[in-house]
Amino acid sequence: MHAITIPEPGGPEALVWDEVPDPVPGEGEVLVDVTATAVNRADLLQRQGFYDPPPGSSRFPGLECSGRIAAVGPGVSGWAVGDEVCALLSGGGYAEKVAVPAGQLLPVPEGLTVDRAAALPEVVCTVWSNVFMIAHLRPGETFLVHGGSSGIGTMAIQLAKAVGAKVAVTAGTAEKLERCAELGADILINYREQDFVAELREATDGKGADVILDNMGAKYLDRNVQALAVNGRLAIIGMQGGVKGELNIGALLAKRAAISATTLRARPLEEKAAIVAAVREHVWPLVSGGHVRPVVHREIPMPDAAEAHRIVEDSSHIGKVLLVTPS
């Protein structure tokens, strides 16, 4: 098979479409013929040499994929050759084939093409596990997602609206904010021109956000705490704004607030399987019913992965950028 390899860390040009050995499904795994994968910021970090795959995982980038089952390994039930699936991965999506633990498989939802389903697993599992399983967003609460036009953001808006929350977003252009509004966002904040703490307070009569989903990390830590409502929950899922910040514990105590920080890639298999199962139960009916849809910016042939990385690196996209395997 062919896959995107990274012979040496570097810029987008470090991604090389090369011939590599086929993976073999082990105990509890299936082999998937990959139709498409999606580009995530973790892939950019891996390309740069900063985010190695967990031990035992594929060395190729790609944290999600869609396709058809080509083979079923020992100990697997409930799946058959030919099934159309999408999957959460620890790596290996940038390839023509990938071995996947059966607990991380999801059926392609009704109404979606196989390639578009590749835009779902990573973002849906990230949003559902952090916003709903950990932060427990409830109907009527106010939810703030930073980077509302990203793959994570566009999914978070839709899921939060589906449960009856009021949604605030930050984004850097009027075009991106307009797209967020089309998806259901109620409070639109241009982070280049406005202070999100002040804007959020004004829009909520001084209360703030009950739940914040943050991809920035250190840069936004203090202001996120300021933006929280009493009993608010801050879920940190990224470090685009740095890894070390100063925390005002007094402010956190005064608000009786909580901070969680998680990654998805390195979690044990049983934890990933539990998240995937929850997503299938709670989110898949929303997708099949047309209430929630992946937002896809562009589909690019997988051998041209460098182009896709440049788009994501420039933050010029809205939603997800997909890599499609050659016919």
Side-chain angles (χ1 to χ4, degrees), residues 44-70:
L44 277 59
L45 292 174
Q46 181 174 338
R47 187 202 74 219
Q48 295 164 352
F50 299 134
Y51 194 21
D52 291 336
S57 301
S58 171
R59 66 186 186 278
F60 311 128
L63 300 181
E64 55 195 333
C65 75
S66 61
R68 295 172 179 84
I69 294 178

Side-chain angles (χ1 to χ4, degrees), residues 122-132 152 155-156 159 213:
E122 175 73 12
V123 294
V124 175
C125 288
T126 296
V127 172
W128 191 260
S129 62
N130 284 278
V131 177
F132 299 95
I152 291 286
M155 181 55 62
L159 289 177
L213 184 64

